[in-house]
Amino acid sequence: MKIEEIKSGGLPEHVAVIMDGNGRWAKQRGLSRSHGHKEGLNSAKRIVAAAASLGIKYITLYTFSTENWKRTQDEVGYLMTLIKGHLRSEFQFYKDNGIKIEHIGDLTGLPKDVQNEILNAKKDTEHFSGTTCVLAINYGSRDEIVRGIRKITENSIKPEEITEEFISKSLDIKDLPDVDLMIRTGGEQRLSNFLLWQCAYAEFIFTDTLWPDYTESEFLENITEFQKRTRRFGAVLDQK
Ligand code: IPE
Ligand code: IPE
Ligand code: MG
């Protein structure tokens, strides 16, 4: 299917991706897990560029979870270096594609140099008006909700002022729309603490493809699959 045809079929405003399977991809090839992550980064660039050329407004990538600190120091160190190096050197990629970078997750829990690269990338790309690419780094959905509630209680607030909208606005990005389409690669069928609040009415697509093997054409197929779903949001459609 051509890009133009897909565009006319109604795009999801917000796509979220759990980029899973880097380790298994590497293992299958007798390579180190690091190698898998490096290849995974190429995949991420491919998919973000595809989202930008389709004109998807938001794409959120699960890059490093609050639970991923449980991995070996070597693996965590490699991932931090990869994230930092990418953000430092890929301004041109974001510029060429008109992509604005945002971050969700607990910034303060990251190494200082990684924090700085995230802040610089946000600042350098803030005037780009195409797709917003939200990087979830040191992100856990429960942690985000806890931090949001703490922010709320810093100001004295009446119970009736706490509404769903108010909680949404207290999360890491106050105007981030709900997720329309959640894609998880790597064969597992779970959320792993990703965007629990924002996925209340998301459509889910799980694919066995390991993240480094995930191509632009599978992404376009997944968008087409999304376009075929009937979203009722609890209502009865076509009621006479
Ligand atoms: C996802 O791939 C990338 C991160 C969690 C950073 P994994 O590293 O979880 O790969 P598998 O699941 O072990 O194959
Ligand atoms: C989710 O993948 C986190 C990221 C993709 C960054 P994991 O591999 O960490 O999730 P589990 O352990 O399978 O739930
Ligand atoms: Mg995994």
Side-chain angles (χ1 to χ4, degrees):
M1 212 181 203
K2 288 198 209 74
I3 294 236
E4 285 313 314
E5 236 174 293
I6 296 175
K7 273 185 176 174
S8 64
L11 291 172
E13 183 183 13
H14 185 183
V15 177
V17 188
I18 303 180
M19 311 183 288
D20 198 20
N22 295 349
R24 280 163 285 165
W25 180 92
K27 196 171 179 200
Q28 281 175 357
R29 287 162 179 76
L31 302 167
S32 66
R33 293 183 59 85
S34 303
H35 206 113
H37 293 312
K38 191 157 178 254
E39 211 46 51
L41 174 59
N42 292 331
S43 239
K45 284 179 64 183
R46 243 185 353 250
I47 300 314
V48 169
S53 62
L54 273 175
I56 288 172
K57 288 218 176 82
Y58 290 89
I59 182 161
T60 300
L61 302 178
Y62 208 3
T63 305
F64 190 90
S65 76
T66 46
E67 286 72 36
N68 288 148
W69 298 107
K70 294 174 191 162
R71 298 187 179 198
T72 64
Q73 221 181 335
D74 271 6
E75 182 167 352
V76 170
Y78 183 82
L79 283 165
M80 290 300 145
T81 307
L82 197 64
I83 291 166
K84 193 173 66 180
H86 168 77
L87 291 174
R88 183 176 297 164
S89 61
E90 295 279 7
F91 173 74
Q92 198 59 40
F93 167 77
Y94 290 108
K95 187 174 177 214
D96 291 346
N97 290 284
I99 292 163
K100 179 174 166 176
I101 303 267
E102 285 280 4
H103 169 257
I104 53 173
D106 183 3
L107 196 67
T108 62
L110 286 162
K112 200 79 199 149
D113 52 352
V114 177
Q115 290 185 32
N116 289 339
E117 291 307 333
I118 292 172
L119 294 173
N120 289 339
K122 276 178 63 171
K123 195 158 183 4
D124 292 347
T125 62
E126 69 187 359
H127 53 290
F128 296 149
S129 57
T131 298
T132 298
C133 174
V134 182
L135 299 174
I137 309 172
N138 194 22
Y139 179 85
S141 191
R142 288 185 169 188
D143 176 65
E144 179 187 34
I145 293 168
V146 167
R147 287 184 292 101
I149 292 172
R150 283 187 188 151
K151 262 186 271 171
I152 293 175
T153 54
E154 273 164 17
N155 311 301
S156 56
I157 178 156
K158 298 194 198 90
E160 59 271 25
E161 285 179 85
I162 299 180
T163 58
E164 291 187 11
E165 202 194 348
F166 193 93
I167 292 185
S168 293
K169 288 198 181 316
S170 310
L171 299 176
D172 287 344
I173 297 179
K174 74 173 192 333
D175 46 8
L176 186 69
D178 281 352
V179 174
D180 298 298
L181 170 61
M182 163 70 69
I183 299 170
R184 182 171 187 145
T185 65
E188 315 293 352
Q189 304 196 355
R190 54 176 169 253
L191 268 178
S192 301
N193 202 13
F194 193 39
L195 301 173
L196 305 179
W197 177 273
Q198 298 87 338
C199 277
Y201 255 108
E203 297 295 326
F204 288 82
I205 294 183
F206 298 102
T207 165
D208 289 337
T209 305
L210 302 174
W211 178 249
D213 289 330
Y214 189 75
T215 57
E216 177 177 0
S217 92
E218 189 170 356
F219 181 64
L220 298 181
E221 267 171 41
N222 290 163
I223 302 290
T224 312
E225 156 76 26
F226 166 84
Q227 291 173 331
K228 291 185 196 140
R229 305 256 178 111
T230 307
R231 302 183 80 196
R232 282 183 289 273
F233 299 99
V236 178
L237 303 179
D238 301 325
Q239 209 163 20
K240 296 266 166 9

